[in-house]
Amino acid sequence: QVQLQESGPGLVKPSETVSLTCTVSGQLINEGYFWGWIRQPPGMGLEWIVSMHYTGFAYYNPSLRSRVTMSIDTPTRQFFLNLTAVTAADTAVYFCARQWEPGRFDIWGQGSQVIVS
Amino acid sequence: QSALTQPASVSGSPGQSITISCTGSSSDVGNSDSVSWYQQHPATAPKLILYDVNKRPSGISDRFSGSKSANTASLTISGLQAGDEAHYYCCSSATGNTRNLFGPGTEVTVV
């Protein structure tokens, strides 16, 4: 069965860059899906960040576009999120997910807590 | 700030039916068949319960159903159970499938 697992630094200082990794198991990453990142600040709702196809085609949340980079490494079955110039407002649980089609995230990782302080 | 609106909370008694609305615009819900719903229990990842407005993934109870009219999508939970207590989020594709929008979430309480 397909599983996703996030990993990250946990604690990041303001103005620095946070880098997160999502490792996919149970399937190849180049099987036609999009892969995405979604975050959830403490006590708040979900915010979509970015989605990318293994070919490199990506679309971004316009409010975060200038600070976000996403990439995919097919051989290692990993994809990555870099978020630059972080502030306290970026404190959140960051989820990676498989996107079957627009709006449809069918498999999620357990989440990686990022605290900016 | 989400472009989709949901009621902050909805409550019901065991066995009752409740409906959660998700209102957007002609740029998203109104012109999208890609509306999905997620259930999230505390400290867990969201779980897809409906997609394409009214389709259920394998293993999801038929007590969950969806519909859409104009710019508003709806999730109905019938036969409410204690385990249905959770937050529910709608999600719609938007702007020609170049964005994903989540609603602010609705807390469901079984009283």
Side-chain angles (χ1 to χ4, degrees):
Chain A
Q1 105 232 30
V2 181
Q3 292 184 317
L4 280 65
Q5 177 69 59
E6 305 89 346
S7 58
L11 181 65
V12 184
K13 291 181 169 55
S15 81
E16 292 186 343
T17 295
V18 61
S19 298
L20 295 163
T21 300
C22 183
T23 301
V24 179
S25 60
Q27 76 160 94
L28 299 177
I29 212 167
N30 57 349
E31 288 188 10
Y33 300 99
F34 276 73
W35 304 91
W37 290 95
I38 300 104
R39 70 180 183 179
Q40 186 170 35
M44 297 179 66
L46 301 168
E47 180 180 33
W48 169 72
I49 302 171
V50 59
S51 295
M52 177 177 276
H53 192 257
Y54 78 94
T55 56
F57 175 78
Y59 53 108
Y60 297 80
N61 185 328
S63 69
L64 296 167
R65 176 64 183 96
S66 62
R67 298 194 294 127
V68 168
T69 303
M70 181 175 174
S71 58
I72 295 178
D73 186 59
T74 301
T76 61
R77 304 189 195 186
Q78 294 179 318
F79 59 98
F80 310 95
L81 176 72
N82 279 354
L83 180 64
T84 64
V86 297
T87 70
D90 296 309
T91 292
V93 175
Y94 286 73
F95 296 100
C96 62
R98 186 178 78 173
Q99 181 176 324
W100 185 284
E101 62 182 8
R104 179 179 166 189
F105 296 94
D106 66 331
I107 299 175
W108 295 63
Q110 65 184 28
S112 178
Q113 174 78 60
V114 173
I115 298 173
V116 180
S117 179
Chain B
Q1 186 173 4
S2 176
L4 306 180
T5 61
Q6 297 180 233
S9 62
V10 173
S11 62
S13 300
Q16 282 188 333
S17 292
I18 61 169
T19 297
I20 302 168
S21 61
C22 172
T23 301
S25 70
S26 58
S27 296
D28 39 71
V29 175
N31 270 294
S32 176
D33 292 327
S34 299
V35 177
S36 55
W37 290 89
Y38 299 85
Q39 177 192 61
Q40 187 180 33
H41 289 107
T44 67
K47 178 182 181 181
L48 178 69
I49 57 172
L50 289 176
Y51 66 94
D52 291 353
V53 177
N54 57 12
K55 296 183 173 63
R56 285 185 302 276
S58 174
I60 299 301
S61 170
D62 60 4
R63 297 186 301 104
F64 296 94
S65 61
S67 63
K68 194 185 83 164
S69 177
N71 296 336
T72 298
S74 298
L75 164 69
T76 296
I77 308 174
S78 58
L80 202 59
Q81 300 176 358
D84 297 332
E85 281 204 340
H87 281 83
Y88 292 83
Y89 297 90
C90 62
C91 180
S92 174
S93 65
T95 320
N97 288 341
T98 61
R99 291 187 65 179
N100 294 300
L101 291 175
F102 282 96
T106 297
E107 182 178 21
V108 168
T109 304
V110 181
V111 296

